[in-house]
Amino acid sequence: QFLTNYKLIRRGRFRLRLNRLSALGKSMVLLGVIGKERLYYWKLFFWSLFCRPRLFPHTITLAIYGFHFRKVFQHYLSDPQ
């Protein structure tokens, strides 16, 4: 829902760099192939790619953030100090 209503404010030109391409590849493997959320990842991936292509980098970034926060939260639940 957030991405449907989000208005992107461009501050400059998007440049495809090696580290961004590497992050995309890693997210495709970790979230799209190995992860249990792979169905939702691919739905989000293709929706963003075809419906909101200008938001595609932000969409992948948010998916990676979500994965990170889930891992941190699971670690916290298993080992509270």
Side-chain angles (χ1 to χ4, degrees), residues 16-77:
L16 186 62
R17 296 200 172 124
L18 186 60
N19 62 345
R20 291 180 181 162
L21 199 56
S22 173
L24 175 63
K26 287 179 184 178
S27 74
M28 289 170 72
V29 171
L30 288 175
L31 299 175
V33 176
I34 297 172
K36 61 183 177 184
E37 64 279 342
R38 63 183 158 262
L39 174 65
Y40 300 106
Y41 175 80
W42 290 116
K43 286 172 71 172
L44 181 66
F45 183 94
F46 288 114
W47 175 85
S48 176
L49 193 61
F50 294 118
C51 295
R52 301 291 302 266
R54 290 178 57 148
L55 289 179
F56 183 73
H58 295 294
T59 303
I60 299 303
T61 301
L62 291 174
I64 293 170
Y65 286 172
F67 175 74
H68 167 74
F69 289 126
R70 280 192 307 274
K71 293 292 268 188
V72 169
F73 187 69
Q74 287 173 355
H75 177 70
Y76 177 76
L77 285 180

